[in-house]
Amino acid sequence: MTPGIVAAEHYWRDGHMWDSGWSWVGGSFVMFTMVAMMTLAIWLVARAASHGANAASPSNENRARSILMDRVARGEIDEADFDARLRKLD
């Protein structure tokens, strides 16, 4: 074997890369960091998706106004009742 290979084997076997007693700390830190980053990414995607859905839906006030206008059009309420209910919304 060449001196470079011997030195490399010595480096790997002597515990500089494995079994140093603290390798589990670094491995645990990396694992925790990766899980935290994946959780954060999933949370951000879910949050962005839910805000996109809320932006597309009409606000409660616009929806209530639309329902009142439909009720007037169907004749369920008269214009005076419509105006009174609309004032309550505002």
Side-chain angles (χ1 to χ4, degrees):
M1 283 206 256
T2 64
I5 293 175
V6 172
E9 285 181 6
H10 176 73
Y11 182 76
W12 282 91
R13 279 196 217 150
D14 247 8
H16 293 285
M17 293 300 287
W18 303 101
D19 299 326
S20 64
W22 289 96
S23 61
W24 64 272
V25 173
S28 298
F29 177 74
V30 169
M31 180 69 75
F32 175 77
T33 303
M34 293 300 291
V35 169
M37 287 173 48
M38 287 188 292
T39 303
L40 178 64
I42 291 169
W43 179 75
L44 287 172
V45 168
R47 185 170 180 229
S50 69
H51 282 296
N54 289 342
S57 64
S59 69
N60 286 337
E61 185 177 328
N62 289 339
R63 186 168 178 263
R65 187 180 304 260
S66 175
I67 290 171
L68 282 175
M69 290 169 50
D70 288 344
R71 290 184 70 189
V72 168
R74 287 191 302 258
E76 294 176 7
I77 59 175
D78 61 357
E79 287 190 34
D81 196 18
F82 171 78
D83 290 336
R85 291 176 189 225
L86 195 60
R87 279 193 298 271
K88 285 183 182 179
L89 286 176
D90 295 333

